[in-house]
Amino acid sequence: MANPIKAETTVQDEPEADRDPQQEIQHPPGQNFGGPKRGGHNRFVNRRQGPYMRFQPPPHRGGPGGPGGPGGPGGPGGPGGERDFNRRPNRGPGGPHGNQNFNEHGPPGRIDKINEKLANMNGPTFDLPPLDHSEKKFSGRTRLYVGNIGNDVTEDDLTELFRPYGETSEHFVNKEKNFAFIRVDYRANAEKAKRELDGILFKGKNLKIRFAPNGSTVKVKNLTPFVSNELLYYSFSVFGEVERAYVIVDERGKPVGEGIVEFARKGCALNAVRRCSEGCFFLTTSLRPVIVESYEPMDDSDGYPEKYLNKKNPEFSKSREVGPRFASVNSFEYEYGMRWKQLHELFAQKEEAMKKEYEMEKEKLEAQMEFARYEHETEMLRDQLRAREMDRDRQKHEWEMKERLAEEQRQRNEEQMRRQQEEMQNRMMHQEEEMRRRQQENNLFMQAHQLDNMLQQEEQAYEEPSGMYNNMNQEGEAPVVKNYFYFDYGRLDFIP
């Protein structure tokens, strides 16, 4: 099986106009580039979840590089093995890609724009705006292949040849292989040019004109019944500019689970095939990933006209010797014709049996998916309940710690207040004692002052008796004797 990644690398180096349609990358019918058949239809699917992608690790690839040191490059990649794309590796801040986003599908440090777009549009998709059905100018559906041209045909000749059919662009002429490509403005003009110019004689050669292979178209399989044209366009626009997107329906207008997306550039289509093959791309909440394959629409409007037959081939003459007829019963032609019909019936029976087996496996997978979804939701509820219990225990522990801290703080405050009261009482008692002592000193000072006055009076009293006696002798009266006190300095009181 061809590798889509290598195919994209090869195509990007060559302009789209320089490629031969015969050299385009062809994928055999039935070859699946969309990964293994996975998922099933969820009958309860809804659009509560927008398009999102989960990448599965491709096996046998080198591991991520080592962490970048301070100012140095990251280490070499590890050995091949399973790689977890949902985990970002730890990188040092000093490495060359230390502060850049990690891209699982590109070089380190490259920002994955697809994941950024998906992150922006992730959400409910209940009401999507209607699509603009007006035809885009110079789309991929208007590119024509012009074959069997002469060696002297130039781009100007092609422009003049297609001028009556509208504007043209992307003129490319390969004179070595005698073919050219040209793009007309609208599909109707391209169909008209193909219808009128196919087979005409131009510079001595009959031109062969048909629509060029459109490598920018992909086919999307495994769609749920709730995917519309708008959701398909909206989801795949993350890979690049989309020109047209529609869901295929049956004769009753019911979707068949497949759709077509036409990109403006082939690189966008290859990128969508690669990313959806490596990962699981979901468009709704259903776990049915879309299967994306390269698709080349067939231009079967003209079929295979008689002019394209090589009538010079001997097999042509041998095959056309006899015209249409019914075989006679029990004839040689009838016997082998019935064998061919039996072979086709056997193929139809096996195909029908395969379809029935596929439907049974799909229903089985749907039931398993519903049961797994129920178990997953139950486990998530259990995890949430455990998380709530842990959170409640944590809050309870925090509250107990706060209460204990508050009690310790209250006790510290009470002890501090008690100490402050004791200190205040001690200061008051000391102040009272100091006041009593000062009051006693003041009293003693006053008493000493009074005693000093009394001593002065006594000294004056000792000096008065001589004069008093003299006065008595002169007047003839007995002198008055006053009371004298004895002062004991040790006792500090008066003794009469």
Side-chain angles (χ1 to χ4, degrees), residues 390-402:
M390 293 177 62
D391 186 63
R392 187 184 61 184
D393 294 340
R394 181 182 57 81
Q395 291 181 355
K396 183 179 179 181
H397 180 69
E398 290 179 355
W399 292 338
E400 291 177 353
M401 289 291 296
K402 290 180 179 179

Side-chain angles (χ1 to χ4, degrees), residues 241-290:
E241 181 183 357
V242 177
E243 293 182 348
R244 193 170 65 140
Y246 60 92
V247 177
I248 302 175
V249 295
D250 58 10
E251 64 277 0
R252 293 175 294 178
K254 293 184 178 180
V256 298
E258 296 180 355
I260 301 296
V261 179
E262 297 177 359
F263 289 95
R265 290 176 296 275
K266 187 174 182 179
C268 301
L270 294 177
N271 191 24
V273 173
R274 178 175 61 86
R275 295 295 294 269
C276 295
S277 299
E278 293 179 354
C280 294
F281 190 35
F282 305 100
L283 305 188
T284 61
T285 55
S286 174
L287 298 181
R288 293 177 59 175
V290 294

Side-chain angles (χ1 to χ4, degrees), residues 56-347:
Q56 301 295 335
H60 307 297
R61 285 191 179 180
E82 296 295 333
R83 178 180 176 185
D84 189 2
F85 281 88
N86 297 321
R87 178 177 60 85
R88 294 177 180 266
N90 297 324
R91 297 180 180 271
H97 309 294
N99 297 325
Q100 298 181 5
N101 294 335
F102 178 71
N103 177 18
E104 297 88 348
H105 298 271
R110 178 182 175 186
I111 299 176
D112 192 352
K113 296 182 179 179
I114 293 180
N115 287 336
E116 287 186 355
K117 292 179 181 179
L118 288 173
N120 293 331
M121 66 171 56
N122 193 7
T125 56
F126 298 122
D127 299 321
L128 295 177
L131 297 178
D132 183 13
H133 294 285
S134 61
E135 185 180 359
K136 294 183 179 180
K137 201 172 183 180
F138 298 112
S139 65
R141 302 173 64 243
T142 63
R143 190 165 176 251
L144 294 174
Y145 167 79
V146 184
N148 197 28
I149 62 175
N151 296 330
D152 56 345
V153 176
T154 62
E155 295 182 2
D156 295 336
D157 296 335
L158 285 179
T159 304
E160 291 297 327
L161 179 63
F162 285 88
R163 186 179 299 277
Y165 305 99
E167 300 179 19
T168 58
S169 67
E170 290 191 21
H171 311 88
F172 171 75
V173 178
N174 190 334
K175 296 182 180 182
E176 296 179 357
K177 297 184 179 181
N178 299 327
F179 73 90
F181 286 108
I182 189 170
R183 196 183 294 267
V184 189
D185 51 3
Y186 295 108
R187 176 76 178 187
N189 294 335
E191 292 176 352
K192 182 179 178 182
K194 174 181 175 296
R195 183 172 57 253
E196 296 181 0
L197 298 180
D198 186 26
I200 69 170
L201 188 63
F202 183 70
K203 290 192 176 184
K205 288 195 175 184
N206 293 326
L207 298 181
K208 293 182 180 180
I209 300 179
R210 64 175 183 269
F211 283 100
N214 188 6
S216 60
T217 304
V218 297
K219 191 171 187 178
V220 185
K221 299 181 179 180
N222 202 30
L223 296 177
T224 63
F226 295 97
V227 176
S228 61
N229 299 340
E230 287 78 6
L231 181 58
L232 192 64
Y233 182 95
Y234 173 76
S235 303
F236 278 84
S237 61
V238 300
F239 301 105
E241 181 183 357
V242 177
E243 293 182 348
R244 193 170 65 140
Y246 60 92
V247 177
I248 302 175
V249 295
D250 58 10
E251 64 277 0
R252 293 175 294 178
K254 293 184 178 180
V256 298
E258 296 180 355
I260 301 296
V261 179
E262 297 177 359
F263 289 95
R265 290 176 296 275
K266 187 174 182 179
C268 301
L270 294 177
N271 191 24
V273 173
R274 178 175 61 86
R275 295 295 294 269
C276 295
S277 299
E278 293 179 354
C280 294
F281 190 35
F282 305 100
L283 305 188
T284 61
T285 55
S286 174
L287 298 181
R288 293 177 59 175
V290 294
I291 309 301
V292 182
E293 301 175 355
S294 296
Y295 177 72
E296 194 170 308
M298 302 298 296
D299 182 21
D300 55 357
S301 59
D302 295 336
Y304 192 56
E306 186 81 9
K307 59 185 177 181
Y308 289 161
L309 289 173
N310 185 10
K311 297 183 179 181
K312 296 180 180 180
N313 191 345
E315 294 293 332
F316 172 79
S317 301
K318 183 178 179 181
S319 177
R320 292 290 187 95
E321 287 179 354
V322 182
R325 65 197 181 280
F326 276 104
S328 301
V329 181
N330 297 327
S331 64
F332 175 80
E333 295 179 346
Y334 183 82
E335 180 182 355
Y336 277 89
M338 293 302 295
R339 288 187 181 182
W340 275 106
K341 292 180 67 175
Q342 292 173 2
L343 180 62
H344 281 277
E345 289 178 0
L346 179 62
F347 175 78

Side-chain angles (χ1 to χ4, degrees), residues 458-473:
E458 288 177 357
E459 290 177 357
Q460 292 177 1
Y462 280 118
E463 293 177 355
E464 289 180 357
S466 58
M468 183 179 60
Y469 285 117
N470 293 330
N471 293 333
M472 180 189 65
N473 294 329

